[in-house]
Amino acid sequence: MVQAVPREPGRLWRNPEPKPAYDVIVVGGGGHGLATAYYLAKNHAITKVAVLERAWLAGGNMARNTTIIRSNYLWDESAAIYEHSLKLWEGLQAELDADLQFSQRGVVNLAHNLGDVREGMRRVHANRLNGVDAIWLEPEDVRRVCPIVDVSPDKRYPVLGATYQPRGGIANHDSVAWAYARAADALGVDLVQGCEVTGIDVGAGRVTGVRTSRGPIAAGNIAIVAAGHASLIAGMAGVRLPLQSHPLQALVSDLVEEVHPCVIMSNTVHVYVSQAAKGSLVMGAGIDAYNSYAQRGSFHVIERQMAAALELFPVFARAHVIRTWAGIVDVSPDASPIIGRTPVEGLYLNCGWGTGGFKATPAAGWVLASTIAKREPDPLALPFALERFTTGALIDEHGAAAVAH
Ligand SMILES: Cc1cc2nc3c(=O)[nH]c(=O)nc-3n(C[C@H](O)[C@H](O)[C@H](O)COP(=O)(O)OP(=O)(O)OC[C@H]3O[C@@H](n4cnc5c(N)ncnc54)[C@H](O)[C@@H]3O)c2cc1C
């Protein structure tokens, strides 16, 4: 049984100085890093753990995503890990004793051409075989699920049908991060903010510690959970990752009446839209095509995204964009994550989630914690090992992840 650690009244977590050594260092204090630390402590009683975050907790992609949660991926390996995640989401508010505004309002993926229809139907069948809830909607069904989508047949991109996952939905990303942080802290994990990892020490083929902006810290296990910066940090230990970092933008409108009851995604028109609990319409696009580590994107991408949104939802013409932003996402060649060990003993990875890792936050933390604790890949993580890029056993989820999320 892990003992709860006291903290100052009124604080969600402590603000500790880094110690000279830990059993496990998690590099990156986004949602995945915090979940990893929490499950190390909770599931495996490993509490000498530090999460090192160069800025403030969960200010990276975790704060910038559009919060779509679903598990309707095509391949068995993906369905298994994303469905595990969705099941964890379903119990997470109770487990973390926090209001995460988790809302299973359903996720609809629109089909606009014959290719979309075939891909969508194939995915519905594959999902059902994997025990994932999936329904094929005809255009009239789409209108019933979401009355504000324009399903008239004379559009440039008519709605020919859609996949529908009723258990999909959204949650409040900040609340999720803070709930994991609070729970990990209470179990004894040190959450160290303003602590940038600048080097990884390796001796005799295994990690011995990290160098940071706040001095060296020793550890026999280091997990790189740094999303868009993962390849830079892995490079510090001489490990090359097949990842490209791209800006990914999103935006919100002013507050409007409750008009949008679900989540709508469209690969072809290339936009995805939901309505947050407070009323703003939350929209995202595809990645900006160039590589970058700057957390900003180009205006023309936003402009195209707006045009796409209006194509589907003419009623949005009177809403105003009030804020746009970008995160830096880590895109892998097969649009699937990289989880597990590296050629350097004691160095672990959780990266490559690209545009769709928010939904995986609970499962990513769960399987990485298990992999570190047991020193062998968690069965759900095994297919996502780095070696697949040399064996060729890719898990190509471009179809399910093309518009991201
Ligand atoms: C605009 C946008 C929309 C998205 N929409 C969705 C969506 O709807 N659904 C979905 O499932 N996913 C979505 N995603 C993807 C999702 O946000 C990411 O896949 C996921 O958040 C990545 O995991 P993370 O939260 O741990 O990453 P991050 O929050 O980025 O955490 C990584 C952390 O590492 C830190 N770090 C980097 N370098 C160092 C260093 N040297 N030392 C210490 N710390 C370091 C960073 O500061 C950062 O806090 C979206 C992403 C973006 C940008």
Side-chain angles (χ1 to χ4, degrees), residues 45-58:
I46 298 174
T47 55
K48 286 187 187 153
V49 177
V51 176
L52 306 183
E53 168 53 50
R54 66 176 184 157
W56 60 92
L57 289 185

Side-chain angles (χ1 to χ4, degrees), residues 334-394:
D334 59 357
S336 285
I338 305 173
I339 319 167
R341 297 188 291 200
T342 69
V344 180
E345 190 62 31
L347 184 67
Y348 298 88
L349 296 170
N350 170 29
C351 55
W353 293 94
T355 56
F358 173 68
K359 65 179 72 65
T361 304
W366 181 287
V367 300
L368 185 62
S370 153
T371 302
I372 296 169
K374 297 182 180 159
R375 295 182 182 278
E376 62 181 39
D378 184 272
L380 290 175
L382 189 57
F384 297 99
L386 182 59
E387 291 90 61
R388 77 177 186 275
F389 297 103
T390 45
T391 62
L394 301 182

Side-chain angles (χ1 to χ4, degrees), residues 240-244 331-333 338 386 389:
R240 280 194 73 195
L241 297 181
L243 293 178
Q244 297 211 17
V331 178
S332 75
I338 305 173
L386 182 59
F389 297 103

Side-chain angles (χ1 to χ4, degrees), residues 27-34 52-69 73 195-198 225-230 233 236 247-250 272 284 295 325-330 350 353-361 404-405:
V27 184
H32 288 210
L34 294 167
L52 306 183
E53 168 53 50
R54 66 176 184 157
W56 60 92
L57 289 185
N61 292 328
M62 188 62 178
R64 294 156 196 266
N65 67 71
T66 47
T67 82
I68 297 171
I69 297 170
Y73 282 70
C195 183
E196 179 170 3
V197 171
T198 54
V225 193
H229 289 77
I233 299 169
M236 295 172 189
L248 178 65
Q249 301 188 71
Y272 40 97
Q295 285 174 316
W325 63 87
I328 297 301
V329 295
D330 42 344
N350 170 29
W353 293 94
T355 56
F358 173 68
K359 65 179 72 65
T361 304
H405 328 306

Side-chain angles (χ1 to χ4, degrees), residues 168-371:
I170 53 174
N172 181 312
H173 43 186
D174 294 330
S175 305
V176 174
W178 298 338
Y180 270 123
R182 187 183 63 173
D185 171 89
L187 293 172
V189 171
D190 280 357
L191 306 175
V192 186
Q193 305 184 68
C195 183
E196 179 170 3
V197 171
T198 54
I200 296 182
D201 293 324
V202 179
R206 64 162 306 130
V207 293
T208 55
V210 292
R211 274 163 281 144
T212 79
S213 53
R214 294 173 69 173
I217 308 174
N221 299 287
I222 297 169
I224 301 174
V225 193
H229 289 77
S231 52
L232 290 179
I233 299 169
M236 295 172 189
V239 176
R240 280 194 73 195
L241 297 181
L243 293 178
Q244 297 211 17
S245 295
H246 288 274
L248 178 65
Q249 301 188 71
L251 58 89
V252 284
S253 74
D254 45 3
L255 305 185
V256 296
E257 294 291 317
E258 212 173 295
V259 288
H260 187 18
C262 61
V263 180
I264 294 276
M265 304 172 68
S266 163
N267 285 8
T268 301
V269 176
H270 227 105
V271 75
Y272 40 97
V273 186
S274 66
Q275 187 166 16
K278 64 183 174 195
S280 40
L281 299 164
V282 182
M283 301 183 208
I287 53 172
D288 281 34
Y290 53 87
N291 296 132
S292 172
Y293 292 108
Q295 285 174 316
R296 60 174 181 270
S298 307
F299 186 69
H300 73 271
V301 176
I302 293 288
E303 212 177 1
R304 221 182 304 139
Q305 181 182 348
M306 288 294 79
L310 288 180
E311 165 85 23
L312 288 175
F313 302 96
V315 67
F316 290 175
R318 298 179 71 116
H320 300 99
V321 173
I322 56 161
R323 203 153 34 90
T324 75
W325 63 87
I328 297 301
V329 295
D330 42 344
V331 178
S332 75
D334 59 357
S336 285
I338 305 173
I339 319 167
R341 297 188 291 200
T342 69
V344 180
E345 190 62 31
L347 184 67
Y348 298 88
L349 296 170
N350 170 29
C351 55
W353 293 94
T355 56
F358 173 68
K359 65 179 72 65
T361 304
W366 181 287
V367 300
L368 185 62
S370 153
T371 302

